[in-house]
Amino acid sequence: MVRPPRLREGDRVRLVAPCSPVPAAQLDAATEVLRGWGLEVGHAPHVRDRHPRLPYLAGEDATRAADLQEAWCDPDVDAVFCVRGGDGAHRTLDLLDFDAMGRAAPKALVGFSDITALHEAFAVELGVATVHGPVVGTKYFVGDAVAQDELRTTLFRPEHRTVLTSPGAHALVPGRARGVTFGGNLSLLNDGLATPHSRLSASGGILVLEDVGEDVARLDRMLTHLLRTGWMDGVAGVALGTWTDCPPDPGVIADLMRERLEPLGVPVLWGLEFGHCAAQLTVPLGVPAVLDTGAGTLELDVPGLA
């Protein structure tokens, strides 16, 4: 993957809403935080839109796609921040002109949750590394000083964020493995299986996984689906993040993950604090890394941004 350049004070960034609508107050607050970092912050033309009939979408599919593509292709934009996840990313993908986007210089794309679909597409179609980090128009960024610092350091001083760990990180399946980081939200990866702009398999990668609001049976069905299709064959290792509001409790979720993933014979790390949680870790995607479950770390061979 091509690593996009790091940010510097004075750089211009664009806020886009490719999925669900963003609350106005959260958008304004995020804008002020990013301006406080010394960035020139622009808003996509339709970033405040709401779909006229489907209120869970931030405007029509065509306008969401146009805003994202324009931001990516604009040579004066140095990074693209997604303001919210939610729903709609897969619908947006179908309207992007990846040939045109491939002619643009790479830049950081930041977001998580539904943005997983974009991370996958940008890896597959553009060969660009991306940033699994807070969607800035939400509680996962606004008012969360730790998450803000994680993201800011990754974007401005990425060499200071090459060893990712959390206090409770430990082995579900012991071992050490090397591969390229990818993944994100389990639901989005499952929904994207065998669709355009999604990778054919997890082979050779360090898969990072998290989810929110899914009970253990639903998580089991999705993970089993990925396993039964052969998509997981050849994966080098798995780093598991947070499973917020996934009943009945984290212990049962951990048991499920061990039961389903241990037969793969690869290292599985539990407890990295990325995903739908406070103080989330920012995880660069598309970079070579070493997963060491004994140390409880995911260590990048190179910084996430150049």
Side-chain angles (χ1 to χ4, degrees):
M1 298 293 165
V2 176
R3 291 179 297 146
R6 69 186 63 200
L7 292 183
R8 295 173 172 81
E9 288 191 14
D11 280 351
R12 298 177 179 177
V13 302
R14 186 80 53 83
L15 306 190
V16 300
C19 307
S20 289
V22 59
Q26 298 283 74
L27 176 62
D28 293 340
T31 300
E32 291 309 307
V33 171
L34 296 174
R35 284 176 176 160
W37 294 359
L39 298 171
E40 293 188 27
V41 183
H43 290 177
H46 304 281
V47 71
R48 297 180 186 269
D49 282 7
R50 185 179 293 267
H51 195 286
R53 295 173 303 281
L54 304 174
Y56 56 89
L57 297 175
E60 301 275 4
D61 295 349
T63 56
R64 298 198 316 278
D67 278 359
L68 176 58
Q69 182 167 324
E70 181 183 346
W72 185 262
C73 292
D74 188 335
D76 293 326
V77 172
D78 298 295
V80 179
F81 291 82
C82 299
V83 297
R84 180 148 178 231
D87 298 286
H90 280 124
R91 295 173 57 135
T92 301
L93 285 178
D94 290 337
L95 299 177
L96 295 176
D97 182 347
F98 283 106
D99 288 337
M101 294 173 72
R103 293 191 289 272
K107 60 196 69 175
L109 174 77
V110 181
F112 84 112
S113 194
D114 206 52
I115 307 304
T116 296
L118 302 183
H119 289 311
E120 283 289 278
F122 279 46
V124 170
E125 302 294 350
L126 304 178
V128 173
T130 56
V131 179
H132 186 284
V135 277
V136 295
T138 71
K139 66 179 181 180
Y140 300 109
F141 182 79
V142 174
D144 191 328
V146 175
Q148 290 174 15
D149 181 67
E150 276 285 323
L151 179 58
R152 183 179 186 178
T153 303
T154 299
L155 294 175
F156 285 82
R157 295 184 299 152
E159 66 277 3
H160 293 272
R161 282 293 186 273
T162 57
V163 180
L164 307 181
T165 190
S166 298
H170 65 275
L172 275 189
V173 181
R176 193 171 184 271
R178 181 181 298 277
V180 174
T181 58
F182 79 103
N185 185 266
L186 173 58
S187 300
L188 268 293
L189 293 170
N190 182 66
D191 291 347
L193 193 67
T195 63
H197 321 305
S198 296
R199 73 185 68 222
L200 297 178
S201 83
S203 181
I206 301 291
L207 174 61
V208 303
L209 285 179
E210 63 85 33
D211 217 318
V212 61
E214 302 283 0
D215 68 29
V216 65
R218 172 67 178 155
L219 294 174
D220 189 343
R221 286 196 296 272
M222 291 187 289
L223 196 53
T224 299
H225 185 215
L226 294 179
L227 290 165
R228 294 183 68 225
T229 61
W231 186 84
M232 294 282 286
D233 293 353
V235 69
V238 183
L240 299 171
T242 56
W243 306 90
T244 304
D245 297 329
C246 291
D249 60 64
V252 174
I253 304 302
D255 287 342
L256 165 69
M257 295 296 165
R258 183 185 295 107
E259 193 270 344
R260 292 279 74 195
L261 297 175
E262 190 170 30
L264 293 173
V266 303
V268 180
L269 181 66
W270 174 268
L272 281 186
E273 295 293 321
F274 68 87
H276 292 77
C277 62
Q280 68 168 282
L281 291 172
T282 295
V283 182
L285 302 177
V287 296
V290 173
L291 181 68
D292 188 333
T293 65
T297 58
L298 177 64
E299 184 170 359
L300 309 179
D301 287 348
V302 294
L305 283 77

